[in-house]
Structures are given as structure tokens and as C-alpha cells.
Amino acid sequence: NYFLVDVAGTGSTSAAFAARMLEQRIVVRDCSSFRMLGDTFVRLAVRTREENERLIRALKAAAGSA
């Protein structure tokens, strides 16, 4: 299962947002290769509770550093 997330509200492109997530050792899919989505969407996987909690912390940090 996946979530498709528009990161435009962070002021970032999907590539920049994915790079910030990778700095926190979280891999997200940059969906800019899907022309119909543009360059502000990333895809996140649903995982275990612990991994999802870590993901939420990383998302908050990445969104705040835009």
C-alpha cells in the first residue's frame, strides 16, 4: 500500500524533498517521472507501526526545512 503525497506546500520539488528524506535514511519515490503529476509528488509506503512513526518524524523534519 502506498500514499501519493503532494509536497508543493513545503516549497520543494519532489526531487529536493526526496533528497532531504534520504538524508534521514528514508527512501521515498520521486514521482516526477509521471508527467501527469508534475514535479511535486512523492510516493510513500505503508510499513510497520515503528517504521511509520519514524517516517512521520522524518516527514515533519523534511517539510520544516524547505
Side-chain angles (χ1 to χ4, degrees):
N1 296 333
Y2 298 99
F3 287 105
L4 185 63
V5 179
D6 185 353
V7 298
T10 67
S12 294
T13 63
S14 54
F17 192 85
R20 284 201 304 277
M21 292 294 288
L22 191 56
E23 290 171 358
Q24 298 179 62
R25 299 177 49 203
I26 302 279
V27 177
V28 300
R29 168 75 193 268
D30 171 6
C31 293
S32 61
S33 62
F34 298 100
R35 288 183 287 165
M36 65 279 201
L37 293 178
D39 66 349
T40 62
F41 283 87
V42 296
R43 187 182 74 182
L44 311 172
V46 177
R47 306 284 300 235
T48 66
R49 181 179 184 93
E50 294 79 22
E51 289 171 324
N52 288 338
E53 289 171 354
R54 185 170 161 246
L55 173 64
I56 290 168
R57 288 190 300 272
L59 286 170
K60 287 179 181 178
S65 64

